[in-house]
């Protein structure tokens, strides 16, 4: 999803200089999976029930290894520790990790379609400190460099205020069936380049 669980209230705050953004590598995946789970559990509380959070972790959240292989998934490191992750994609799939069944094959046309902002998660101890803002800026810059002028994402409920603060407009609210539990998300879009 791309942007599923961001550090949602760091807009306008000073971004920590010690955070380095770099492309994720396959050996990072075993570190990212528990970070994503911890982020989802801690930062979704109050927006989703415990049952909804666990269903999303089991069926949707997680690393999309295609993004890692494409070089479009990034990690945020501080003093050598991975403290966040997030990416963008030229692939059609709007959200969901490797476990998500509703993946869509194929590639987007940058001239007419929006780049996908995907799977933003921040370690709970590093939330609301500018990590997600730095990740999002890197993803948007990379998408623009690849010829995209718009971004689209499927936000978690706690992610909506973060993305809205960064210019994404909410669209349709949707529910996805995750096992026997429906989980709510909000589609959002942004013009990456002014018209």
């Amino acid at each position: 999803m791309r942007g599923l669980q961001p550090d949602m209230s760091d807009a306008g705050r000073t971004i920590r200089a010690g955070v380095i953004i770099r492309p994720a590598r396959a050996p990072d995946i075993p570190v990212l999976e528990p970070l994503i789970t911890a982020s989802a559990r801690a930062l979704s509380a109050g927006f989703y029930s415990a049952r909804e959070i666990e269903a999303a972790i089991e069926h949707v959240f997680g690393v999309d290894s295609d993004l890692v292989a494409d070089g479009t998934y990034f990690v945020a490191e501080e003093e050598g520790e991975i403290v966040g992750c997030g990416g963008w994609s030229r692939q059609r799939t709007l959200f969901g990790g490797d476990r998500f069944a509703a993946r869509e094959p194929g590639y987007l046309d940058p001239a007419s379609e929006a780049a996908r902002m995907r799977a933003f998660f921040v370690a709970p101890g590093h939330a609301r400190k500018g990590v997600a803002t730095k990740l999002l800026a890197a993803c948007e810059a990379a998408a623009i460099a690849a010829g995209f002028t718009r971004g689209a994402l499927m936000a978690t409920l706690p992610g909506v205020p973060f993305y809205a603060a960064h210019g994404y407009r909410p669209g349709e609210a949707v529910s996805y069936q995750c096992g026997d539990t429906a989980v709510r998300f909000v589609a959002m879009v942004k013009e990456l380049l002014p018209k």
Side-chain angles (χ1 to χ4, degrees):
M1 182 173 282
R2 87 75 104 278
L4 277 174
Q5 186 61 48
D7 169 9
M8 64 183 195
S9 64
D10 57 20
R13 295 184 188 220
T14 302
I15 297 174
R16 296 152 99 178
V19 173
I20 296 166
I21 306 299
R22 67 163 174 82
R25 300 180 293 262
D28 296 324
I29 293 174
V31 174
L32 295 174
E33 290 292 352
L35 181 150
I36 290 168
T37 297
S39 177
R41 286 183 178 142
L43 302 178
S44 295
F47 292 89
Y48 293 113
S49 69
R51 182 178 178 159
E52 289 171 315
I53 293 167
E54 294 307 315
I57 290 168
E58 182 179 347
H59 296 280
V60 179
F61 297 164
V63 175
D64 182 335
S65 57
D66 289 342
L67 301 185
V68 175
D70 284 350
T72 60
Y73 201 59
F74 299 101
V75 297
E77 282 185 334
E78 186 171 47
E79 297 179 5
E81 176 190 3
I82 295 176
V83 297
C85 53
W88 74 280
S89 180
R90 58 182 62 86
Q91 296 182 33
R92 292 201 172 282
T93 298
L94 182 58
F95 71 102
D98 290 344
R99 297 185 281 274
F100 187 51
R103 299 169 64 77
E104 191 176 346
Y107 288 88
L108 301 164
D109 177 2
S112 62
E113 297 177 288
R116 307 310 195 206
M117 299 299 143
R118 303 273 312 274
F120 284 75
F121 296 90
V122 174
H126 296 269
R128 298 170 184 80
K129 296 178 180 176
V131 173
T133 294
K134 201 164 185 176
L135 282 162
L136 183 60
C139 291
E140 290 178 345
I144 290 167
F148 288 92
T149 61
R150 292 180 300 129
L153 57 88
M154 189 65 74
T156 57
L157 299 182
V160 171
F162 168 79
Y163 292 115
H166 291 282
Y168 286 83
R169 294 180 322 276
E172 178 184 357
V174 297
S175 289
Y176 280 92
Q177 201 63 31
C178 298
D180 61 357
T181 304
V183 180
R184 297 156 293 146
F185 300 97
V186 178
M188 301 184 79
V189 296
K190 177 183 178 179
E191 295 295 331
L192 299 176
L193 294 174
K195 289 189 174 187

